[in-house]
Coordinates of all heavy atoms in Angstrom, one line a residue:
G36 N -2.2 13.0 3.6 CA -3.6 12.3 3.8 C -3.3 10.8 3.7 O -2.3 10.4 3.2
K37 N -4.4 10.1 4.0 CA -4.3 8.6 3.9 C -4.4 8.1 2.5 O -4.1 6.9 2.1 CB -5.3 8.0 4.8 CG -5.1 8.2 6.2 CD -6.2 7.5 7.1 CE -7.4 8.2 7.2 NZ -7.5 9.5 7.8
L39 N -6.9 7.3 0.8 CA -7.8 6.0 0.7 C -8.7 6.0 -0.5 O -8.8 4.9 -1.1 CB -8.8 6.1 1.9 CG -8.3 5.5 3.2 CD1 -9.3 5.7 4.3 CD2 -7.9 4.1 3.1
R40 N -9.1 7.1 -1.0 CA -10.0 7.1 -2.1 C -9.3 6.8 -3.4 O -9.8 5.9 -4.1 CB -10.8 8.4 -2.3 CG -11.8 8.6 -1.1 CD -11.9 9.9 -0.6 NE -12.6 10.1 0.8 CZ -11.9 10.1 1.9 NH1 -10.5 9.9 1.9 NH2 -12.5 10.2 3.0
E66 N -8.8 12.4 -5.4 CA -8.2 13.0 -4.2 C -8.4 14.5 -4.2 O -8.5 15.1 -3.3 CB -6.7 12.6 -4.2 CG -5.9 13.2 -3.0 CD -6.3 12.5 -1.7 OE1 -7.0 11.5 -1.6 OE2 -6.0 13.0 -0.6
H69 N -11.8 15.3 -3.0 CA -11.8 15.1 -1.6 C -11.2 16.3 -0.9 O -11.7 16.8 0.1 CB -11.1 13.8 -1.3 CG -10.8 13.6 0.2 ND1 -11.7 13.5 1.2 CD2 -9.6 13.3 0.8 CE1 -11.1 13.2 2.3 NE2 -9.8 13.1 2.1
Q71 N -10.8 19.3 -2.0 CA -11.7 20.4 -2.1 C -12.8 20.4 -1.0 O -13.0 21.4 -0.3 CB -12.5 20.4 -3.5 CG -13.5 21.4 -3.6 CD -14.9 21.1 -3.1 OE1 -15.3 19.8 -3.1 NE2 -15.7 22.0 -2.7
S72 N -13.3 19.2 -0.7 CA -14.4 19.1 0.3 C -13.8 19.4 1.8 O -14.3 20.0 2.6 CB -15.1 17.8 0.3 OG -14.3 16.7 0.8
L73 N -12.5 19.0 1.9 CA -11.9 19.2 3.2 C -11.6 20.8 3.4 O -11.8 21.4 4.5 CB -10.5 18.5 3.4 CG -10.6 17.0 3.3 CD1 -9.1 16.4 3.4 CD2 -11.5 16.4 4.3
H75 N -13.1 23.3 2.0 CA -14.4 24.0 2.3 C -15.0 23.7 3.7 O -15.6 24.4 4.4 CB -15.4 23.8 1.1 CG -15.1 24.7 0.0 ND1 -15.9 24.6 -1.1 CD2 -14.2 25.5 -0.4 CE1 -15.4 25.4 -2.1 NE2 -14.3 25.9 -1.6
D76 N -14.8 22.4 4.1 CA -15.4 22.0 5.4 C -14.7 22.7 6.5 O -15.4 23.0 7.5 CB -15.2 20.5 5.5 CG -16.1 19.9 6.6 OD1 -17.3 20.1 6.6 OD2 -15.6 19.1 7.4
R88 N -4.8 17.8 8.5 CA -3.6 16.9 8.2 C -2.4 17.4 8.9 O -1.2 17.4 8.4 CB -3.4 17.0 6.7 CG -4.5 16.2 5.9 CD -4.3 16.2 4.4 NE -5.2 15.2 3.8 CZ -5.4 15.1 2.4 NH1 -4.7 15.8 1.6 NH2 -6.1 14.1 1.9
L110 N -12.2 21.7 -7.7 CA -13.5 21.0 -8.2 C -13.7 21.0 -9.6 O -14.1 20.0 -10.2 CB -14.7 21.8 -7.6 CG -16.2 21.1 -7.7 CD1 -16.2 19.9 -6.8 CD2 -17.1 22.2 -7.2
A140 N -20.5 14.7 -6.7 CA -19.9 15.8 -6.1 C -21.0 16.9 -5.8 O -20.8 17.8 -4.9 CB -18.9 16.5 -7.0
L145 N -22.3 15.0 -2.2 CA -21.5 15.7 -1.2 C -22.2 16.9 -0.7 O -22.4 17.2 0.5 CB -20.2 16.2 -1.7 CG -19.0 15.3 -1.6 CD1 -17.7 16.0 -2.3 CD2 -18.6 15.1 -0.1
I146 N -22.8 17.7 -1.6 CA -23.4 19.0 -1.2 C -24.7 18.7 -0.3 O -24.9 19.3 0.7 CB -23.7 20.0 -2.4 CG1 -22.2 20.4 -2.9 CG2 -24.5 21.1 -2.0 CD1 -22.3 21.3 -4.1
Q149 N -23.7 17.8 3.1 CA -23.1 18.9 3.9 C -24.3 19.8 4.3 O -24.3 20.3 5.5 CB -22.1 19.7 3.0 CG -21.5 20.8 3.8 CD -20.5 20.4 4.9 OE1 -20.4 19.2 5.1 NE2 -19.7 21.3 5.3
K175 N -22.2 12.5 2.6 CA -20.9 13.3 2.9 C -19.7 12.4 2.8 O -18.6 12.8 2.4 CB -20.9 13.8 4.4 CG -21.3 15.3 4.5 CD -21.2 15.8 5.9 CE -19.7 16.1 6.2 NZ -19.6 16.8 7.5
T176 N -19.9 11.1 3.2 CA -18.7 10.3 3.4 C -18.6 9.0 2.4 O -17.7 8.9 1.6 CB -18.5 9.8 4.9 OG1 -18.6 11.0 5.7 CG2 -17.2 9.0 5.1
F212 N -16.4 3.9 8.0 CA -15.5 4.8 8.0 C -16.0 6.1 8.8 O -15.2 6.6 9.6 CB -15.0 5.2 6.6 CG -13.7 6.1 6.7 CD1 -12.5 5.6 6.9 CD2 -13.9 7.5 6.5 CE1 -11.4 6.4 7.1 CE2 -12.7 8.3 6.6 CZ -11.5 7.8 6.8
Q213 N -17.3 6.5 8.6 CA -17.7 7.7 9.3 C -17.9 7.3 10.7 O -17.6 8.2 11.6 CB -19.1 8.1 8.7 CG -19.6 9.4 9.4 CD -18.6 10.6 9.2 OE1 -18.1 10.8 8.2 NE2 -18.2 11.2 10.4
D216 N -14.5 7.6 12.2 CA -14.2 9.1 12.4 C -14.9 9.6 13.6 O -14.3 10.4 14.3 CB -14.7 9.8 11.1 CG -13.9 11.0 10.9 OD1 -12.7 11.1 10.7 OD2 -14.6 12.1 11.0
Ligands
GRG1 C1 -18.5 19.4 -3.5 C2 -18.9 22.0 -3.9 C3 -18.7 20.7 -3.0 C4 -18.7 21.1 -1.7 C5 -18.4 20.1 -0.6 C6 -17.8 20.9 2.5 C7 -18.6 19.8 1.8 C8 -19.4 20.2 0.6 C9 -18.6 18.6 2.2 C10 -17.9 18.0 3.4 C11 -17.5 16.7 3.2 C12 -16.6 16.1 4.3 C13 -15.4 17.0 4.7 C14 -16.9 15.0 4.9 C15 -16.1 14.3 5.9 C16 -15.6 13.0 5.4 C17 -14.3 12.5 6.2 C18 -14.5 11.6 7.2 C19 -13.2 13.0 5.8 C20 -11.8 12.5 6.4 O1 -11.3 11.7 5.5 P1 -9.9 11.0 5.7 O2 -9.7 10.6 7.1 O3 -8.9 12.3 5.5 O4 -9.7 10.0 4.6 P2 -7.4 12.3 4.8 O5 -6.8 13.6 5.3 O6 -6.7 11.1 5.4 O7 -7.5 12.3 3.4

Side-chain angles (χ1 to χ4, degrees):
K37 293 183 282 300
L39 277 176
R40 295 143 191 91
E66 183 67 14
H69 168 56
Q71 176 274 327
S72 75
L73 300 179
H75 281 185
D76 195 50
R88 294 179 163 176
L110 190 66
L145 266 179
I146 292 177
Q149 184 75 347
K175 260 186 77 168
T176 306
F212 188 77
Q213 185 56 51
D216 200 65

